[in-house]
Amino acid sequence: MEKDPDIELMLRFQAGDPGAFRDLFAKHQKRIINFCYRFCKTPEAAEEMAQEVFLRVYKAAPRYKPGARFSTWLFRIATNVCLNAARADKYRRLTRSLDEPTRRQDGTAVYPDIADPAPLQQSVLETREEAALIEQALESLPQKQRAALILRANYGFSYADISGQIGCSESAVKNWIHRGRKRLKALLKPTFGENR
Amino acid sequence: MTRKCRYTKQISPLLDGGLPSNKERSMRAHISACPTCRQEIADLQQVDALLTMVPQIEPSRGFEQTFFRKVAALEEKTAARQRFWASLFSGWRPVAAAGTAAILIGVLTFYAGVDDPGPGPADLMIVEQMELFQEYEIIEHLDLMEHWEEITAMAERS
């Protein structure tokens, strides 16, 4: 296995270096928040779930044994938190009108299905509605199917990694991803048509 | 309308590098001759591309601060627990605990060590009426028979 710098950081943290944990946190926070955001209704909920993920990492440090890549392990925890939260109906998305913004606790507007517009990265998608359409299509997938597809398409994990992260067989992962893509194709092709 | 092809199911794992190498080779050979599968590849690649285009959210300004506050609270809770256990073994508490344990052990030893008084007058009455009592099975269930062996020995001696 290739040397994983994140494993080195985790081992340094385990040995008592809190700065190593801060580095890991800084490096992965955005990816984890965005992963969680695919399973909840607001950026606040996504951040809360992401904090739960990192707290679990923090607590697990004394027992940590390097096995798989650090990111594979981290996303296993994140998947667990997201699927549990979804099962508990804790952070389910609200159904909202596309034009109606919600408000953060500090009063700033949050547009539906897209985070606070201020830090929004320039997207290749032409309109907010297009992005919302993709998010809604993704949201229509069953939880595990959605998790498998996101872990593959957005984070590049292998079937073997994903099967460990979700806790199922590789053939189930293969099947979910196949079915997920087919469903998204059916939902999105009428709008997005041919390749851009 | 595109025609159906039974191999389109293999397109998704092909894109993910999830086919064994021999299957992958035969799929690639098939695709070069199958417009349906070529279209399926294009469609599924577009789905993946759309997924990566969804806007990302940035962590809020307070995210890191809130998280490390939670970490500090966790550390404080752990430290408080450790202090509680440490306090149990410091100052007057260990002396009190040892004293309580000593008293308990003494009481238990006292009661465990009380001599068994042995057969009493009721038992002697049974000895005298041994033959009669042996006729009644119920006697086997009486507490009196606690000393049955001694009683029978006495009966034999008498």
Side-chain angles (χ1 to χ4, degrees):
Chain A
M1 195 171 73
E2 272 178 53
K3 202 172 176 185
D4 182 348
D6 291 345
I7 288 181
E8 301 295 318
L9 284 171
M10 193 61 190
L11 291 174
R12 269 175 45 203
F13 173 53
Q14 193 178 45
D17 175 4
F21 182 80
R22 282 189 177 269
D23 290 348
L24 281 172
F25 179 82
K27 185 174 175 183
H28 295 283
Q29 56 173 328
K30 187 177 165 185
R31 274 163 34 108
I32 294 295
I33 291 172
N34 278 282
F35 179 73
C36 294
Y37 189 46
R38 301 273 82 86
F39 294 86
C40 63
K41 60 188 178 189
T42 62
E44 284 86 359
E47 291 197 349
E48 206 175 306
M49 287 160 76
Q51 283 170 355
E52 172 63 22
V53 172
F54 284 108
L55 268 182
R56 288 191 190 190
V57 172
Y58 190 91
K59 288 183 199 167
R63 303 183 305 279
Y64 177 73
K65 283 181 189 157
R69 276 185 303 152
F70 175 80
S71 62
T72 305
W73 181 70
L74 177 66
F75 273 85
R76 181 186 304 171
I77 296 173
T79 304
N80 202 273
V81 167
C82 291
L83 293 180
N84 281 344
R87 218 173 285 137
D89 213 25
K90 216 170 157 185
Y91 304 102
R92 244 166 75 90
R93 279 172 190 269
L94 294 172
T95 308
R96 293 188 301 256
S97 150
L98 283 176
D99 304 324
E100 178 198 346
T102 53
R103 301 268 160 199
R104 281 183 185 272
Q105 283 166 9
D106 63 7
T108 54
V110 178
Y111 287 86
D113 298 306
I114 301 176
D116 187 334
L120 193 68
Q121 286 184 338
Q122 193 60 42
S123 168
V124 188
L125 297 173
E126 285 166 10
T127 64
R128 204 168 281 289
E129 284 74 18
E130 283 185 348
L133 204 65
I134 297 168
E135 290 189 324
Q136 281 164 7
L138 201 50
E139 197 185 327
S140 75
L141 301 180
Q143 305 285 352
K144 287 184 177 178
Q145 198 178 97
R146 190 190 320 169
L149 186 56
I150 292 170
L151 287 165
R152 175 65 213 155
N154 291 70
Y155 299 95
F157 287 109
S158 69
Y159 287 174
D161 288 339
I162 298 168
S163 76
Q165 286 158 337
I166 299 182
C168 59
S169 68
E170 277 187 50
S171 59
V173 170
K174 183 173 148 183
N175 198 23
W176 282 333
I177 292 174
H178 168 70
R179 292 199 334 238
R181 280 181 174 135
K182 294 285 276 186
R183 178 157 174 80
L184 291 190
K185 174 189 154 185
L187 291 170
L188 299 173
K189 204 172 178 185
T191 307
F192 293 95
E194 295 306 309
N195 291 344
R196 293 183 180 208
Chain B
M1 198 176 103
T2 49
R3 284 165 48 197
K4 283 193 173 180
C5 172
R6 66 194 175 106
Y7 290 111
T8 52
K9 274 188 186 171
Q10 303 296 326
I11 300 295
S12 180
L14 178 76
L15 290 177
D16 296 330
L19 287 181
S21 53
N22 57 338
K23 264 196 180 175
E24 188 179 326
R25 270 196 305 276
S26 60
M27 264 307 284
R28 289 197 185 282
H30 165 78
I31 287 162
S32 62
C34 177
T36 306
C37 283
R38 281 202 300 276
Q39 182 59 51
E40 181 76 356
I41 287 180
D43 289 345
L44 298 191
Q45 280 176 334
Q46 189 193 13
V47 165
D48 281 12
L50 287 173
L51 287 178
T52 60
M53 286 175 196
V54 175
Q56 300 276 297
I57 58 173
E58 291 290 332
S60 68
R61 269 180 234 111
F63 176 67
E64 186 171 340
Q65 207 180 359
T66 309
F67 174 71
F68 282 102
R69 264 206 304 271
K70 285 183 182 176
V71 168
L74 178 74
E75 290 288 355
E76 176 50 38
K77 206 171 153 187
T78 311
R81 200 178 299 131
Q82 282 168 351
R83 279 198 301 274
F84 169 76
W85 286 109
S87 71
L88 279 184
F89 298 102
S90 67
W92 55 270
R93 285 194 182 88
V95 178
T100 309
I103 291 168
L104 273 175
I105 290 167
V107 168
L108 289 172
T109 309
F110 175 77
Y111 281 106
V114 170
D115 287 337
D116 190 336
D123 299 323
L124 291 173
M125 187 268 289
I126 292 172
V127 170
E128 285 163 13
Q129 303 295 329
M130 197 67 174
E131 284 181 9
L132 175 66
F133 278 120
Q134 277 176 335
E135 296 296 319
Y136 298 98
E137 281 184 12
I138 194 164
I139 200 167
E140 290 175 14
H141 305 295
L142 295 177
D143 288 344
L144 285 172
M145 303 320 292
E146 189 183 352
H147 302 293
W148 180 249
E149 283 181 11
E150 290 169 65
I151 291 167
T152 48
M154 287 165 71
E156 279 165 15
R157 281 199 298 273
S158 61

